Amino acid sequence: MADAGSHDEPGGRGRLVVADRVVERIATIAAREVPGVTPAGSALGRAVGRRYPKADAQVAGDRVRITVEVAVAWPASLVDVTAGVRDIVRSRLGELAGLQVDTVDVIAAKVVHEDAPTRGRVQ
């Protein structure tokens, strides 16, 4: 009969591997929580991967480096929005995936005027 306590030890429970795509998805959802981040992208843009927010992650073990691109609603402060995205992405990846975040690079790839027509924008 196996020792019942062996499953309580970290080495006896196995490992958790988090795929890059999962990390990217967590980051894009987290970025949307930041005031001033607005979803944007045309139908063609979605087809070629140019919708915002979007993320690109490199995961190595329990460490991650990630780049997040966002569209910012005018007249929000780029400094405040990018800092907010950086903080929430780092926090959510730690909480939800148990990852140590080495780097979060945030790119304000597009500025969107909120009074602009919504044709072509992702809602």
Side-chain angles (χ1 to χ4, degrees), residues 15-81:
R15 298 179 357 157
L16 172 65
V17 177
V18 182
D20 293 2
R21 295 286 301 150
V22 172
V23 171
E24 292 165 357
R25 186 73 175 136
I26 291 170
T28 58
I29 291 169
R32 290 183 192 143
E33 296 178 38
V34 177
V37 171
T38 186
S42 65
L44 176 61
R46 285 191 303 272
V48 296
R50 297 305 311 172
R51 66 176 174 218
Y52 302 104
K54 67 180 255 175
D56 181 40
Q58 296 84 42
V59 180
D62 67 344
R63 302 183 79 85
V64 65
R65 296 182 65 157
I66 190 160
T67 300
V68 182
E69 294 182 47
V70 296
V72 179
W74 177 261
S77 164
L78 292 176
V79 172
D80 292 345
V81 171

